[in-house]
Amino acid sequence: MKTGVAKVYAFIVARCMAERYKCTLSAETLKKAVTELNEPEDNAIRLAAIDRLRKRFQDEAKNMELIRSDDSFLLRFLRVRKYDEDRAFETLKNYHTRREESREIFDLVDNPKSIENFIRSGAASALREGRAKDGTFVVLARLGHGYQDSGDFVKFAALLVLTLEKLLENEEVQVYGVTAINDVSEFGISYVPFMATYSRTMSHIMQEAMPVRFKAMNLVNESGIIDVVYSIITKFMKEKMKNRLVMHGTEFKKLHDKVDPKYLPFSLGGSGPDVNGDWWAEQLITTVGAGEDTAL
């Protein structure tokens, strides 16, 4: 059965299928994509891979309908799996499965206006200026910021997905990947049961469904309950992701080795602007949601 979201995307599909993807990556970014992601330099080969992925999903993903079938959307799944078409197919399937199985999260993703106040609180945001020194794009999150009940964990999960969906419309994000910084200074012991409930779902969404290259995970301002927090957040992490998790406490030198402090807020030992929830809310509420073109 065609979902409401799929219906909204129908006009995008018709428009985008008439206009095939054309590579506009800079020479430097394309070289990185070719070297690290097995990206074909020949656009005809790239389009053929996209077409195979689209057809395979339509033929083999029974009882599922692509939320989007345009080239640009499918391309991000090929890139995140380095053009391994079997793995790209599984990730694309997982993306659609998670959307259906975690409706409490994705209903909010499809309607960001419904959590506008939470977004404006600054619980999570992309870094407004600058990138990490390795070229990755930076996401700042504050687990526990402004939380009142278990519903805020659902909002936080939705905000993270919205943030990544927004960033992924930038092709350089698909190629370079993301550095995540999570400030847990406001995470209290009373939140542990809620976190335990949602950590498995979010781990599966982030690692198996979202077409994002997480290049680094940073935990900062950990409290005395760090052992509890660590055991929860790593329980469902794959080994590769665990190896990319660095805990900094309140010592930010290693973090500054990754991200120039001139881009980071004072709370992270930087001299840059504070997290601007209002700015990020405007990006998400006006351009992200069911059927929207979220290109930066």
Side-chain angles (χ1 to χ4, degrees):
M1 180 180 295
K2 179 171 284 192
T3 66
V5 172
K7 289 179 180 178
V8 174
Y9 272 106
F11 78 97
I12 292 181
V13 173
R15 181 189 67 189
C16 292
M17 288 301 291
E19 300 177 4
R20 299 307 304 268
Y21 173 83
K22 295 179 182 178
C23 184
T24 59
L25 296 174
S26 68
E28 180 182 359
T29 303
L30 178 59
K31 181 180 179 180
K32 184 177 179 68
V34 170
T35 302
E36 296 186 13
L37 307 182
N38 301 315
E39 178 104 4
E41 292 188 78
D42 187 327
N43 197 49
I45 298 176
R46 187 188 288 112
L47 292 177
I50 292 171
D51 289 341
R52 286 192 297 272
L53 180 59
R54 182 187 295 110
K55 186 176 188 305
R56 184 171 179 181
F57 188 92
Q58 293 168 342
D59 291 345
E60 299 182 27
K62 304 302 182 184
N63 302 318
M64 291 186 187
E65 185 165 356
L66 278 170
I67 187 172
R68 285 175 57 182
S69 62
D70 55 286
D71 292 348
S72 295
F73 177 69
L74 295 173
L75 182 57
R76 63 186 67 169
F77 291 90
L78 289 166
R79 283 175 171 157
V80 78
R81 297 309 179 204
K82 299 183 178 181
Y83 279 80
D84 181 322
E85 293 180 17
D86 289 335
R87 295 179 66 220
F89 172 62
E90 289 302 318
T91 305
L92 184 59
K93 278 201 310 181
N94 289 338
Y95 179 87
H96 286 75
T97 298
R98 290 298 165 189
R99 284 190 62 90
E100 291 304 313
E101 293 182 350
S102 304
R103 286 314 311 170
E104 73 279 9
I105 294 173
F106 283 94
D107 282 344
L108 302 180
V109 170
D110 289 339
N111 182 22
K113 185 73 174 176
S114 65
I115 55 171
E116 179 177 357
N117 288 340
F118 189 79
I119 298 174
R120 291 187 183 279
S121 75
S125 170
L127 196 66
R128 187 167 187 174
E129 297 179 0
R131 289 154 66 169
K133 294 178 181 179
D134 62 0
T136 54
F137 290 71
V138 181
V139 172
L140 304 176
R142 293 188 282 180
L143 185 63
H145 180 70
Y147 284 22
Q148 296 181 359
D149 54 44
S150 61
D152 289 323
F153 275 89
V154 179
K155 294 175 185 176
F156 183 73
L159 176 52
L160 288 180
V161 173
L162 279 165
T163 294
L164 294 174
E165 293 277 21
K166 176 64 178 179
L167 287 174
L168 281 168
E169 292 294 339
N170 182 337
E171 288 192 84
E172 288 206 350
V173 176
Q174 299 170 27
V175 175
Y176 281 90
V178 167
T179 287
I181 303 173
N182 197 343
D183 183 344
V184 293
S185 58
E186 297 180 69
F187 186 85
I189 191 69
S190 62
Y191 301 140
V192 169
F194 301 140
M195 185 176 180
T197 299
Y198 291 104
S199 59
R200 180 183 184 124
T201 297
M202 282 308 297
S203 291
H204 287 167
I205 290 174
M206 294 299 166
Q207 295 180 105
E208 300 172 4
M210 291 299 295
V212 179
R213 304 182 72 206
F214 284 105
K215 302 298 290 182
M217 307 284 290
N218 300 275
L219 207 63
V220 300
N221 291 320
E222 306 96 302
S223 66
I225 61 169
I226 182 56
D227 289 341
V228 176
V229 174
Y230 181 83
S231 66
I232 293 174
I233 65 176
T234 60
K235 185 176 182 180
F236 304 105
M237 272 188 183
K238 296 179 180 179
E239 198 62 32
K240 180 172 70 173
M241 195 70 75
K242 287 181 183 179
N243 292 336
R244 294 178 179 176
L245 175 64
V246 178
M247 295 181 291
H248 300 274
T250 56
E251 297 293 329
F252 301 126
K253 183 182 182 305
K254 290 183 179 179
L255 181 64
H256 294 167
D257 288 341
K258 297 179 179 181
V259 184
D260 194 312
K262 70 181 181 182
Y263 298 127
L264 294 172
F266 178 78
S267 60
L268 299 178
S271 57
D274 289 336
V275 175
N276 191 326
D278 288 333
W279 166 74
W280 194 235
E282 294 303 318
Q283 310 304 307
L284 299 183
I285 292 170
T286 60
T287 63
V288 179
E292 295 293 339
D293 180 352
T294 60
L296 288 171

